[in-house]
Amino acid sequence: MFLSQNFIRNKNLAAHIVGLASFGINDLVIDIGAGMGNLTRELARVCGRVLAVEIDSDLIPVLAKNLATNVTIYNQDFLAFNLPRTPYKVFANLPFHITAEIVKKLLGSKSPPVESYLIMQKEAAQKFSGTPHETQFSLLDKPYFNFETVYIFKKSDFDPEPDVETVLLKIVKRNEPLVTKANKILYQNFIKFAFNTWKKDLKVGLKKTFTYEQWKRLAKDNNFNIHAKPTDLSFPQWLKLFEFYKTRG
């Protein structure tokens, strides 16, 4: 029995969405949830090496048919898969029920992918990318990655058809992080504290962190409402708050 996977029906669509990625002959690409191989075969045409990871042993014989020699199949759970230490990219048709776990594994790795193209539920993509409002998850990762939805699927693109809207989310590692390694833990703790301790608004939740006068000045200088909630602030506004938090006396 296939394990909670929705397969791309059309080979032309598989070729189109792979074409949206900036893959080349020098790239090592991990195909997570390779399934029946429609995406795997297209990846093999444009990439130097493809590591096809598929947990469902029933799919391996189908996946293995007519694959190019630059594809290596791994019949295992991606969550237990050892990520490469050398630069790599990812293309994945994610099982919806473990999307968050896979994204956290990729972005939280000591060697995260240079680029990822992830087919996922639209609601999950909005959470990860902070669209239309920032989330704790998006704010924790945006100093290190850019997020962009690059394709919106129709339900009929998949077999079986999903009950939810599905998109292709592009995640690119920043060449230069917006929060330094030395300040990473401080930044993460600041964001988590702000999201998990606010009451009726951030002014009240952060009253032990910023004085009323400091908060009023921050709101005015960075153009947000003095009674803003965590999701009301943009990523640049959160960066400004953090910069002040680091240097406050």
Side-chain angles (χ1 to χ4, degrees):
M1 182 176 181
F2 301 156
L3 302 176
S4 303
Q5 290 181 276
N6 302 84
F7 304 107
I8 298 288
R9 292 179 187 269
N10 190 298
K11 292 182 179 179
N12 290 331
L13 175 58
H16 175 69
I17 60 175
V18 168
L20 296 176
S22 57
F23 295 157
I25 194 64
N26 295 318
D27 287 327
L28 167 64
V29 176
I30 302 176
D31 178 11
I32 306 170
M36 297 181 179
N38 282 347
L39 290 170
T40 315
R41 292 177 180 85
E42 295 303 326
L43 290 168
R45 296 179 197 275
V46 296
C47 303
R49 285 184 62 207
V50 179
L51 309 183
V53 184
E54 174 54 54
I55 191 174
D56 192 340
S57 57
D58 290 342
L59 291 174
I60 298 302
V62 182
L63 173 61
K65 285 184 179 179
N66 303 317
L67 281 184
T69 57
N70 62 339
V71 179
T72 304
I73 297 174
Y74 294 85
N75 181 200
Q76 69 178 99
D77 183 352
F78 176 74
L79 295 177
F81 183 78
N82 292 324
L83 295 172
R85 295 184 179 181
T86 55
Y88 67 97
K89 299 179 181 181
V90 168
F91 203 101
N93 184 4
L94 299 180
F96 291 162
H97 69 290
I98 56 169
T99 293
E101 290 90 337
I102 291 176
V103 173
K104 288 176 182 178
K105 176 183 173 85
L106 291 171
L107 303 192
S109 166
K110 291 182 179 179
S111 57
V114 177
E115 292 183 15
S116 299
Y117 296 82
L118 308 177
I119 299 172
M120 66 174 66
Q121 186 175 346
K122 179 181 177 180
E123 184 178 344
Q126 290 176 327
K127 172 186 173 182
F128 301 142
S129 63
T131 307
H133 303 290
E134 299 293 351
T135 64
Q136 179 175 306
F137 190 100
S138 67
L139 290 169
L140 290 176
D141 283 307
K142 278 193 172 180
Y144 313 100
F145 301 92
N146 278 307
F147 298 81
E148 179 187 5
T149 294
V150 293
Y151 192 82
I152 300 173
F153 294 94
K154 296 178 290 187
K155 292 183 179 181
S156 59
D157 289 332
F158 298 93
D159 184 22
E161 292 189 11
D163 296 327
V164 296
E165 294 182 76
T166 306
V167 301
L168 180 64
L169 181 67
K170 176 182 178 181
I171 307 174
V172 180
K173 183 182 176 184
R174 294 184 187 273
N175 291 327
E176 294 293 332
L178 301 181
V179 174
T180 65
K181 185 177 181 179
N183 287 319
K184 183 174 182 178
I185 298 301
L186 184 66
Y187 172 79
Q188 290 177 337
N189 289 340
F190 174 70
I191 294 297
K192 290 176 183 178
F193 179 81
F195 264 77
N196 295 318
T197 61
W198 72 279
K199 297 178 181 178
K200 70 174 186 177
D201 56 36
L202 281 171
K203 174 176 64 65
V204 175
L206 297 177
K207 67 181 180 180
K208 293 183 179 180
T209 305
F210 304 112
T211 67
Y212 175 74
E213 289 302 323
Q214 286 173 335
W215 186 253
K216 186 166 67 171
R217 172 59 63 182
L218 284 166
K220 180 179 179 181
D221 289 349
N222 295 292
N223 196 31
F224 62 81
N225 191 292
I226 195 172
H227 299 294
K229 296 178 174 60
T231 54
D232 293 335
L233 271 62
S234 67
F235 174 54
Q237 288 170 331
W238 275 108
L239 282 182
K240 292 291 187 180
L241 280 187
F242 178 66
E243 288 301 317
F244 182 80
Y245 171 73
K246 282 192 309 177
T247 59
R248 76 199 194 289

